[in-house]
Amino acid sequence: MRTFRFFAKRLFLTFLTLSSAFFFSCGHNDTPRIYIGDTFQYWEADADSTFGDAMKNTANFKPLQDKCVHNLWHTLGKGRHYVWVRAEFTIPPQFKNQPLGLVIPHLRFAEQVFCNGAFISQYGAFPPHEQSTLFKAHFFSFPLNVLNQEGKNIILIKIFAQGRSGISSYSFVQPARYAYPNFETLNFHHTRIYMFLVGILFLTFILYLSFYLNLKSFKEFRDFAFVNFFTSIFLIPFFATELPMYTNGAIPYVPFIKLTLCIPPYFMVFFASMFAINFLSIKPPLKVNILRWSVLAIQVLLTLFAPNYEFLINIFPLMIILLTIQGLIGTVAVIKELIGKEKRMSALYFATGFLPLSSTIVVDLTLRITDNTRTYTYFSIFGWQISIIIFIVMLAFRFATIYKRNERLSNHLKEEVAARTSDLQFANNELSNLNERLEKDKHRSDMDLEMASIVQRKFLPKPNKHFRGWEISVCYSPQAKVSGDFYDYYSFNDTLNGITLFDVSGHGLSASLVTMLSKNIISRVFQTGFRRKEPVDKILNKINNLILAEKGDIENYMTGVLCRFDDSENPAKCKVELGNAGHPYPLKYSVSDNEIYELKGNDGKQHYGAIGMKGITVSFARSNFFMSTGDILLFYTDGLTESTNSKQEQFGLQAIKEIMKKNHAKSSDEILGLIMERLDEFTEYRGFEDDLTVIIAKRKNVSEYVEGEDYDESFDDNIEELEEADTESSESSDTKLESAENNE
């Protein structure tokens, strides 16, 4: 980059030197001239007015006091006008008896020149096929036979004026041998010099477009190419009068102006802004891109469908505003990167590239503001050429850097491939060893998991049980080998005292360990509370406090239901008390009214919280109801209702309720089978994504129970041990409960 900065500095100094020399070369030479601008008078006429009409209306001519380059536009106003301009001059002694020439440095739109009544020549074309001479200077030769060597010579110029028309107040008369070289010099500065620039721009366009077509990732090459292309099109009007296809009228004037002077600048600024964005590798927001394309579309459409030249003049201020908006998008992007640190140097180089253009724009504005009577060369066009050269160097450096890096990679490719191959071989060996260790570890883990699964299943009661007055069926389906779901029955002899179902958060081994920890705690607290006839919501609170104290920093929590039965008073109508700790609501089918109810709690309190969540206040639900013969209770975990099909629809409760109502007369095992069959169909036999447990408890006629059938002695065998354990550990448990409650 040091080389680039040195080159850019030298290039800019050279540009200043050359532009200064060029500027001073545009000045006046020492050859005497007769300036006729101070004698200009004008008379507005019509299209059919003739030289004779102008001579008859000499008294109606008014002094043309405005000396700026757009004086006719300022004097006559907008629209199309036909005006005669009159000038007088007397031949000085040194110019007598030799042909003279009139040089008009600037005149728009078209004109016919008469000298002393004789038609001299014409530039441009009048309507209906109007054609402007654009930026070209005008030369008219006055032969000796039309000149008055003594007295006044009258020049009459019929001008078709439209748009920003005007006649130069620096028009002058000289001997033809001096006037014509001065005319050629003016034409060189105002028109022909731009022809060389167009060639450079078009070659640059071809070069960088070719680069882009082969290197699509270099979007800045594409943008730079099109900036050059549209700049070359924009410069064509500056020397169009030197092209036969324009001067012979083959190209209509208004379409020519639209496609050269109007539309190309829109694309120049658009691609210059895009060039800044891609040069700095910026990704503008979508709304900025929409704004840029919208501005361009508005400009192009308004210009293409402009009905006439006057409309183009009228929308000129709007087009300047839209060009400013388009340019500000790129400018703001560069300024943001200059303020930031990541791409500051790139933004600084980019801004440096536009320095010649910015400097010459200031020069052009200064010249035209301080002296609006002259037509100056557009130095900003040459400044843009210098900027283009700087950007060519920048892009060449960028391309060369990438090329060198690729060349270096190519030269050392074999060594790098060999090194990478060796590394890969070593990595493969390590991976093989690691795979062997992982296989062994996996085998051990699988064995451990299988053992944990066996232990957990042994830990749970038999899935299908029959007690006096109850028929119970269970579906227990872990998502993995171990589960976070667990259930339990509590009975004395053949009497069912209670059922619990809990769902631990999470999956896998950690959740299963929490189930084993919690099952003993729940069993002990339930049985103690059962004997003391404590409300089920109070039992759940004690379970919560004790589990919080026991599990320590383990994050798993659980939801669950705890159901207590009492048919001691009326076996035909069992009294049920149900506690719910944040668990899905159990369902009850009632034979008496053939309806299904969700047991949401009827204790009149608000319910919130789950078991084992630190720092959370809880209020567990309690429901009190009766179960008659034929009534059905259904407990389930969320793995049932939240199972989904291929459309991500959940199974829900509706199908379960329909099965229970239609098949309530069947056994609990049959009802459970129908529910699971419907679930398999719904999930398309894809298996379950969560642990799933369903318990159906159907109330049967107490008199139909055969004593000893499927009798579970677990509660009976251990009741005495529990009594003793309760007495021995009551102090320890009460201490933990009291501590947990105090913490809460």
Side-chain angles (χ1 to χ4, degrees):
M1 279 301 179
R2 290 183 178 178
T3 305
F4 167 72
R5 289 196 294 268
F6 175 79
F7 175 80
K9 182 178 179 181
R10 288 299 180 90
L11 191 63
F12 184 64
L13 291 174
T14 303
F15 162 73
L16 289 179
T17 303
L18 292 176
S19 60
S20 300
F22 177 78
F23 174 75
F24 289 114
S25 70
C26 298
H28 309 294
N29 58 31
D30 295 331
T31 307
R33 302 177 181 185
I34 304 172
Y35 286 100
I36 61 174
D38 291 337
T39 67
F40 281 158
Q41 294 178 311
Y42 74 96
W43 169 60
E44 187 173 4
D46 54 34
D48 298 327
S49 60
T50 62
F51 172 80
D53 296 329
M55 293 299 294
K56 291 176 184 178
N57 287 275
T58 301
N60 294 325
F61 277 77
K62 302 175 184 178
L64 185 60
Q65 297 176 348
D66 193 334
K67 304 302 180 183
C68 78
V69 292
H70 303 306
N71 48 15
L72 294 179
W73 179 49
H74 295 160
T75 302
L76 304 175
K78 297 180 180 180
R80 300 156 68 98
H81 303 274
Y82 291 88
V83 61
W84 286 86
V85 173
R86 175 189 173 97
E88 300 177 353
F89 71 93
T90 302
I91 301 176
Q94 66 268 33
F95 289 175
K96 288 184 177 180
N97 299 317
Q98 53 184 315
L100 300 180
L102 168 64
V103 177
I104 303 178
H106 171 83
L107 195 156
R108 288 188 185 175
F109 196 84
E111 78 275 15
Q112 297 172 346
V113 173
F114 299 83
C115 181
N116 296 328
F119 175 74
I120 302 301
S121 185
Q122 175 174 334
Y123 275 84
F126 284 57
H129 304 293
E130 65 265 28
Q131 199 82 336
S132 172
T133 54
L134 297 170
F135 302 94
K136 185 176 183 177
H138 301 173
F139 172 75
F140 301 93
S141 179
F142 298 157
L144 286 172
N145 59 347
V146 302
L147 294 171
N148 295 324
Q149 301 297 321
E150 303 293 338
K152 293 182 178 180
N153 290 274
I154 306 299
I155 299 175
L156 279 170
I157 308 172
K158 183 181 181 181
I159 301 173
F160 168 63
Q162 69 171 344
R164 298 174 179 273
S165 57
I167 181 171
S168 174
S169 60
Y170 285 91
S171 301
F172 60 89
V173 176
Q174 266 186 320
R177 67 179 186 276
Y178 301 125
Y180 189 78
N182 284 326
F183 158 73
E184 287 292 314
T185 300
L186 287 171
N187 270 343
F188 176 78
H189 290 151
H190 294 170
T191 60
R192 293 175 188 147
I193 195 170
Y194 301 108
M195 298 175 70
F196 303 103
L197 304 182
V198 168
I200 296 172
L201 291 167
F202 195 75
L203 288 175
T204 305
F205 161 69
I206 296 296
L207 176 64
Y208 278 89
L209 184 63
S210 301
F211 281 156
Y212 170 70
L213 293 176
N214 289 280
L215 300 166
K216 293 293 181 66
S217 59
F218 286 80
K219 293 182 180 180
E220 61 269 32
F221 285 10
R222 174 202 61 193
D223 304 332
F224 185 64
F226 281 110
V227 167
N228 282 271
F229 173 75
F230 286 106
T231 304
S232 66
I233 301 299
F234 172 71
L235 291 180
I236 290 177
F238 287 90
F239 59 87
T241 50
E242 305 298 322
L243 304 176
M245 61 186 304
Y246 177 81
T247 54
N248 62 17
I251 304 176
Y253 179 71
V254 174
F256 174 78
I257 290 298
K258 288 181 181 180
L259 297 176
T260 54
L261 276 180
C262 295
I263 292 179
Y266 310 154
F267 284 93
M268 286 165 57
V269 178
F270 176 82
F271 279 106
S273 178
M274 188 179 290
F275 178 47
I277 291 170
N278 288 324
F279 186 90
L280 299 174
S281 300
I282 300 171
K283 292 184 178 179
L286 177 62
K287 59 183 180 181
V288 173
N289 287 328
I290 292 174
L291 174 63
R292 294 174 59 246
W293 283 102
S294 299
V295 168
L296 180 64
I298 291 170
Q299 291 174 311
V300 172
L301 291 175
L302 278 176
T303 302
L304 282 177
F305 292 102
N308 49 47
Y309 187 75
E310 287 79 8
F311 186 84
L312 291 176
I313 295 297
N314 290 334
I315 65 173
F316 177 75
L318 174 62
M319 295 299 105
I320 292 298
I321 293 172
L322 293 177
L323 279 176
T324 304
I325 294 172
Q326 193 77 266
L328 282 175
I329 293 173
T331 304
V332 169
V334 175
I335 292 173
K336 282 185 177 180
E337 298 305 326
L338 283 172
I339 295 173
K341 295 181 179 180
E342 184 179 352
K343 301 177 183 177
R344 180 178 293 172
M345 291 307 299
S346 295
L348 184 60
Y349 293 141
F350 187 86
T352 302
F354 274 98
L355 189 59
L357 174 62
S358 305
S359 303
T360 50
I361 287 175
V362 173
V363 172
D364 280 339
L365 291 175
T366 302
L367 289 175
R368 283 158 177 77
I369 291 173
T370 56
D371 184 7
N372 62 1
T373 62
R374 294 182 183 273
T375 303
Y376 293 97
T377 302
Y378 286 94
F379 290 98
S380 55
I381 294 177
F382 297 94
W384 176 228
Q385 296 299 305
I386 302 299
S387 292
I388 284 175
I389 293 173
I390 292 175
F391 283 121
I392 288 174
V393 175
M394 284 186 186
L395 295 176
F397 269 95
R398 177 173 290 194
F399 178 78
T401 301
I402 295 173
Y403 178 80
K404 287 179 180 179
R405 184 169 66 246
N406 291 339
E407 186 178 31
R408 185 170 61 254
L409 290 173
S410 177
N411 291 336
H412 299 287
L413 185 59
K414 290 183 180 180
E415 292 82 354
E416 291 185 7
V417 168
R420 297 296 175 267
T421 303
S422 176
D423 292 342
L424 286 173
Q425 192 170 16
F426 177 78
N428 283 334
N429 294 334
E430 289 292 316
L431 188 59
S432 297
N433 296 332
L434 181 60
N435 283 336
E436 290 180 5
R437 292 196 297 270
L438 287 175
E439 285 293 333
K440 293 178 180 178
D441 292 342
K442 182 178 181 298
H443 179 70
R444 285 196 296 267
S445 297
D446 289 342
M447 292 296 292
D448 293 343
L449 196 61
E450 186 67 31
M451 182 60 68
S453 175
I454 294 171
V455 171
Q456 187 178 36
R457 288 181 180 273
K458 294 290 185 180
F459 204 60
L460 298 175
K462 294 179 180 180
N464 297 323
K465 296 286 291 184
H466 296 285
F467 298 95
R468 181 182 299 277
W470 291 100
E471 182 181 83
I472 300 175
S473 297
V474 178
C475 173
Y476 175 74
S477 177
Q479 188 266 340
K481 290 188 176 183
V482 290
S483 173
D485 293 355
F486 67 98
Y487 65 95
D488 206 353
Y489 314 128
Y490 307 104
S491 62
F492 182 75
N493 295 330
D494 57 354
T495 301
L496 179 65
N497 294 325
I499 297 176
T500 57
L501 173 61
F502 285 86
D503 181 3
V504 179
S505 63
H507 302 284
L509 196 57
S510 62
S512 71
L513 292 175
V514 175
T515 67
M516 297 180 189
L517 169 69
S518 304
K519 185 175 181 297
N520 287 329
I521 295 174
I522 294 169
S523 176
R524 186 173 70 248
V525 176
F526 174 81
Q527 293 172 20
T528 302
F530 181 84
R531 292 194 305 276
R532 295 175 180 175
K533 296 184 179 181
E534 295 176 344
V536 290
D537 54 341
K538 183 176 181 180
I539 294 173
L540 285 173
N541 271 294
K542 287 187 175 182
I543 291 171
N544 178 50
N545 293 334
L546 195 55
I547 286 178
L548 281 171
E550 290 289 346
K551 75 184 184 76
D553 294 330
I554 298 174
E555 295 182 355
N556 300 75
Y557 65 92
M558 61 185 178
T559 64
V561 290
L562 187 152
C563 193
R564 185 168 63 188
F565 306 102
D566 184 5
D567 57 1
S568 60
E569 296 179 4
N570 185 4
K573 203 171 186 181
C574 180
K575 183 179 179 182
V576 184
E577 188 178 15
L578 175 72
N580 191 327
H583 199 75
Y585 300 124
L587 301 179
K588 176 196 173 185
Y589 170 74
S590 175
V591 173
S592 60
D593 53 9
N594 193 31
E595 285 295 337
I596 294 179
Y597 302 96
E598 294 184 40
L599 303 174
K600 298 183 178 180
N602 54 14
D603 54 359
K605 298 187 299 183
Q606 289 187 340
H607 311 129
Y608 42 84
I611 291 174
M613 301 180 71
K614 285 186 177 180
I616 303 296
T617 304
V618 295
S619 175
F620 299 132
R622 187 177 78 244
S623 301
N624 292 285
F625 55 94
F626 293 93
M627 290 288 289
S628 301
T629 301
D631 289 354
I632 301 171
L633 277 178
L634 186 144
F635 309 95
Y636 61 93
T637 57
D638 56 11
L640 174 66
T641 54
E642 294 179 3
S643 292
T644 58
N645 59 14
S646 57
K647 298 179 182 178
Q648 297 304 308
E649 298 170 336
Q650 293 189 347
F651 185 58
L653 287 173
Q654 188 59 38
I656 300 171
K657 292 179 179 180
E658 291 175 0
I659 292 172
M660 290 177 68
K661 289 183 75 172
K662 289 181 181 179
N663 301 278
H664 65 88
K666 295 182 180 180
S667 68
S668 62
D669 194 49
E670 290 174 318
I671 297 172
L672 180 59
L674 290 171
I675 292 174
M676 298 312 298
E677 184 179 343
R678 178 73 66 85
L679 179 62
D680 286 335
E681 291 174 357
F682 178 80
T683 59
E684 301 166 0
Y685 301 94
R686 294 183 297 114
F688 308 130
E689 298 177 356
D690 195 2
D691 299 329
L692 184 150
T693 304
V694 183
I695 302 175
I696 294 182
K698 185 174 183 181
R699 182 67 178 175
K700 303 291 286 184
N701 191 330
V702 176
S703 62
E704 295 178 359
Y705 178 73
V706 179
E707 188 173 351
E709 180 182 352
D710 198 20
Y711 173 62
D712 180 20
E713 298 179 350
S714 59
F715 189 87
D716 191 20
D717 292 341
N718 295 318
I719 188 64
E720 293 181 2
E721 294 180 16
L722 287 169
E723 291 280 356
E724 293 175 3
D726 182 50
T727 302
E728 293 173 358
S729 63
S730 60
E731 294 182 2
S732 175
S733 297
D734 290 342
T735 301
K736 290 182 178 180
L737 283 170
E738 184 180 355
S739 175
E741 289 170 355
N742 290 335
N743 289 336
E744 288 295 314

